[in-house]
Amino acid sequence: MFLPKYPDNPTPPPAHTHAPASAEPAPVRRSLPSLSIDNKTIATVIVGGVVLTALLAAVAVTAISVAVAAVVLRSLLREQHRR
């Protein structure tokens, strides 16, 4: 009753076909100059990443503490105006 009905014939072939490759030679790819990466470079990148992550965390903590201080001061000023 609820079973799907499958078509009797397989799916038709695609309507478009790829054109054969031309006889032109492929363009020559120039290789990039080799970079020498030593241990000092890796250590510098890691230390830089750690420093930037620490700075980002410090900015986030500062923003949260300023937001909490603003909420506390707002509630204190609101209480003072109600009296």
Side-chain angles (χ1 to χ4, degrees):
M1 182 173 161
F2 293 109
L3 295 176
K5 295 181 181 179
Y6 296 107
D8 294 333
N9 57 354
T11 58
H16 60 86
T17 57
H18 294 287
S22 63
E24 297 177 13
V28 178
R29 296 186 71 185
R30 296 180 187 167
S31 63
L32 296 175
S34 62
L35 297 174
S36 61
I37 299 176
D38 57 348
N39 290 339
K40 288 183 180 180
T41 306
I42 295 172
T44 303
V45 169
I46 291 174
V47 169
V50 169
V51 168
L52 289 176
T53 304
L55 287 173
L56 181 63
V59 168
V61 168
T62 303
I64 291 171
S65 64
V66 167
V68 169
V71 169
V72 169
L73 285 174
R74 184 177 175 189
S75 68
L76 287 175
L77 290 175
R78 182 178 287 175
E79 289 293 324
Q80 187 178 11
H81 285 296
R82 286 184 181 178
R83 291 182 183 184

